[in-house]
Amino acid sequence: MSRPKNQNYKGHGLSKGKERQQRASIRFKTTLMNTLMDVLRHRPGWVEVKDEGEWDFYWCDVSWLRENFDHTYMDEHVRISHFRNHYELTRKNYMVKNLKRFRKQLEREAGKLEAAKCDFFPKTFEMPCEYHLFVEEFRKNPGITWIMKPVARSQGKGIFLFRRLKDIMDWRKDTRSSDDQKDDIPVENYVAQRYIENPYLIGGRKFDLRVYVLVMSYIPLWAWLYRDGFARFSNTRFTLNSIDDQYIHLTNVAVQKTSPDYHPKKGCKWMLQRFRQYLASKHGPEAVETLFRDIDNIFVKSLQSVQKVIISDKHCFELYGYDILIDQDLKPWLLEVNASPSLTASSQEDYELKTCLLEDTLHVVDMEARLTGREKRVGGFDLMWNDGPVSREEGAPDLSGMGNFVTNTHLGCVNDRKKQLRQLFCSLQVQKKASS
């Protein structure tokens, strides 16, 4: 990459000009003051850079990316925590647009059966530009519940449920002007989405799953799935009789912790391992295997749907937070994908999960250049996709009939990450000694 000649040019990782494996220390930068800062500061050989200092690793926020990415020269080894146009997957309207397009493509190229594997998102319309299409659909199914979400906000802000067209007429008048604004972050556009009226309930309460997927590259697609995650519960028992009560319908911790009877010590979270065991005890292991296979399919298909539109840059990686809802038929639904999943802890258990998740993210990103590139597991991360599905078994996968093929995913299974990391780094040291 040649250096840009404009005055805004900033170069990173240039001062010593050494190869990655020769670096004595890694200079990091971040503006996020949460578990991430703790993990970065405790990482051996990593040094914090303030303000305008040169850096090798930057866990940036998306606003920095928008303003600076195109003017920043990065040396070979430098890494940054977002893809340039990550919003193709993480903005609610773009995600649905890309999934719809990908579904049509699959139907053309591989038939209806393959295309049906993309049927994991509720019927969705972008507002106001698809208002007339929405009205048509609305009138076909009178009486059902819809949910309105702003496309570019998070933590449950601006979301409401409705059953009558007149509930959104005023809103429509107010936002018509936004239709012709095509900037990265337009004036409030919304999506109207069919509300899942039959969510799976535990203790009478609604929940969704937060799962972490780490993408290291889009071309070829190279994605890891973290074993841990959690179920986030609403604080109030579920009912469709009250559609105005956010504490019933929204599971975001940011919303639930404002509830008058929220218990900060208990929180509203279950670890995924506990959730998986609960389901197995209720429905049997086979039903749970099928459900988790269907969830794996959501990760792969959603990433494939944006593979050709996301600018794949070797300096970029991204840790996505997937939000998945499960209905009473044990069907998983993709609600949204977050580019900046919350790294703030709401309990001690949450702190430990996020600390381990971030440590393992840094192991996979591998600024220290310790890995061989052939690893299928690093700590709590399992390699899910490497330009094709990854098999649990060693050796070349049998893709002919996919007969004995079992994907290398272990979501909600035991996460013995410390033991695995010890073994991994010991064997890497042995290999290094043997080769030298």
Side-chain angles (χ1 to χ4, degrees):
M1 190 192 297
S2 61
R3 299 189 193 179
K5 288 178 181 165
N6 64 32
Q7 294 305 304
N8 297 328
Y9 155 70
K10 297 170 190 155
H12 291 287
L14 291 167
S15 61
K16 293 178 185 165
K18 292 185 180 178
E19 292 302 307
R20 282 175 74 199
Q21 57 266 37
Q22 295 175 310
R23 304 198 68 78
S25 65
I26 291 150
R27 300 161 298 176
F28 75 84
K29 186 174 176 178
T30 186
T31 50
L32 305 174
M33 300 303 291
N34 47 36
T35 48
L36 175 68
M37 185 60 94
D38 293 352
V39 169
L40 291 169
R41 282 179 175 162
H42 284 109
R43 197 161 179 87
W46 286 47
V47 182
E48 189 177 353
V49 169
K50 302 283 188 188
D51 306 323
E52 292 303 302
E54 280 193 8
W55 42 266
D56 306 302
F57 178 94
Y58 189 8
W59 196 295
C60 64
D61 55 37
V62 293
S63 58
W64 181 92
L65 193 80
R66 214 167 33 245
E67 290 157 25
N68 298 285
F69 188 89
D70 294 336
H71 314 298
T72 305
Y73 173 83
M74 294 180 216
D75 210 9
E76 183 75 20
H77 70 282
V78 168
R79 294 291 177 267
I80 194 164
S81 64
H82 293 288
F83 287 92
R84 173 68 183 84
N85 57 339
H86 61 86
Y87 48 78
E88 292 286 353
L89 181 61
T90 58
R91 280 268 298 283
K92 299 172 187 77
N93 53 337
Y94 290 174
M95 177 187 89
V96 169
K97 178 193 75 177
N98 284 314
L99 279 165
K100 284 178 179 175
R101 180 184 43 72
F102 185 59
R103 192 191 188 289
K104 280 182 188 156
Q105 181 194 327
L106 281 178
E107 193 166 332
R108 275 196 317 272
E109 294 172 5
K112 286 190 171 171
L113 213 59
E114 194 60 29
K117 290 181 185 173
C118 287
D119 293 343
F120 49 70
F121 57 100
K123 202 169 271 286
T124 304
F125 298 89
E126 186 174 352
M127 307 289 255
C129 61
E130 294 185 323
Y131 181 80
H132 297 295
L133 288 172
F134 164 71
V135 170
E136 218 175 282
E137 182 65 31
F138 182 91
R139 290 192 169 134
K140 277 189 215 162
N141 299 282
I144 68 164
T145 310
W146 291 81
I147 186 165
M148 193 76 115
K149 303 175 181 179
V151 298
R153 287 204 255 174
S154 59
Q155 299 188 321
K157 295 185 188 92
I159 294 178
F160 62 93
L161 276 63
F162 67 98
R163 290 195 186 118
R164 299 170 305 183
L165 274 181
K166 76 181 187 68
D167 292 341
I168 60 166
M169 290 303 268
D170 295 343
W171 168 86
R172 179 181 175 235
K173 281 175 207 153
D174 293 344
T175 56
R176 241 182 220 181
S177 60
S178 70
D179 203 18
D180 59 344
Q181 303 207 13
K182 299 292 181 208
D183 196 14
D184 279 0
I185 303 290
V187 177
E188 289 288 82
N189 276 18
Y190 274 64
V191 289
Q193 202 167 60
R194 190 165 172 165
Y195 186 63
I196 310 289
E197 295 185 316
N198 64 331
Y200 192 97
L201 304 178
I202 294 179
R205 295 181 305 157
K206 182 182 169 180
F207 63 91
D208 68 3
L209 305 180
R210 164 57 59 86
V211 184
Y212 299 99
V213 172
L214 174 63
V215 176
M216 295 300 296
S217 158
Y218 272 97
I219 299 173
L221 184 58
W222 182 24
W224 300 75
L225 175 63
Y226 205 61
R227 294 185 174 205
D228 294 340
F230 46 84
R232 304 180 296 188
F233 287 85
S234 61
N235 218 35
T236 310
R237 291 176 74 83
F238 182 78
T239 172
L240 281 170
N241 297 334
S242 171
I243 62 169
D244 297 327
D245 188 338
Q246 287 200 314
Y247 300 128
I248 294 173
H249 301 286
L250 303 187
T251 57
N252 312 65
V253 176
V255 171
Q256 291 299 328
K257 68 182 181 189
T258 64
S259 163
D261 49 355
Y262 177 75
H263 198 302
K265 282 222 171 82
K266 277 199 248 167
C268 293
K269 290 180 180 178
W270 270 17
M271 292 290 279
L272 268 182
Q273 283 80 351
R274 182 180 176 190
F275 169 69
R276 190 168 180 145
Q277 285 163 1
Y278 174 87
L279 282 187
S281 69
K282 288 272 181 189
H283 303 280
E286 275 185 32
V288 174
E289 277 297 324
T290 302
L291 167 64
F292 277 76
R293 256 202 315 276
D294 291 345
I295 294 174
D296 289 346
N297 170 66
I298 289 179
F299 305 137
V300 171
K301 292 286 185 289
S302 60
L303 294 174
Q304 287 177 329
S305 76
V306 295
Q307 195 179 356
K308 288 180 180 165
V309 291
I310 285 197
I311 301 160
S312 191
D313 186 310
K314 65 184 176 188
H315 299 102
C316 304
F317 68 92
E318 191 120 28
L319 180 65
Y320 294 108
Y322 273 73
D323 292 344
I324 310 269
L325 181 85
I326 291 160
D327 70 17
Q328 285 168 2
D329 303 320
L330 292 187
K331 173 181 168 67
W333 297 87
L334 176 60
L335 299 181
E336 65 178 294
V337 184
N338 296 272
S340 303
S342 169
L343 299 174
T344 304
S346 57
S347 66
Q348 185 55 35
E349 192 175 42
D350 200 29
Y351 181 83
E352 284 163 19
L353 184 155
K354 285 171 179 169
T355 301
C356 296
L357 166 73
L358 289 166
E359 284 175 3
D360 292 347
T361 299
L362 297 182
H363 291 323
V364 174
V365 173
D366 192 29
M367 292 299 293
E368 296 89 348
R370 293 180 289 186
L371 303 181
T372 63
R374 295 186 298 275
E375 290 79 11
K376 283 168 48 169
R377 183 180 174 195
V378 176
F381 276 110
D382 296 292
L383 185 58
M384 169 173 62
W385 197 267
N386 188 10
D387 204 16
V390 180
S391 167
R392 263 183 219 186
E393 302 306 314
E394 289 307 318
D398 162 34
L399 294 177
S400 50
M402 297 292 270
N404 302 319
F405 189 88
V406 181
T407 52
N408 185 43
T409 52
H410 303 265
L411 186 60
C413 296
V414 174
N415 186 6
D416 52 344
R417 58 179 289 278
K418 281 186 177 168
K419 180 183 166 193
Q420 196 276 338
L421 287 169
R422 268 199 311 274
Q423 289 172 344
L424 172 66
F425 288 121
C426 272
S427 72
L428 288 170
Q429 279 181 324
V430 168
Q431 286 174 44
K432 199 174 176 184
K433 279 178 189 165
S435 64
S436 61

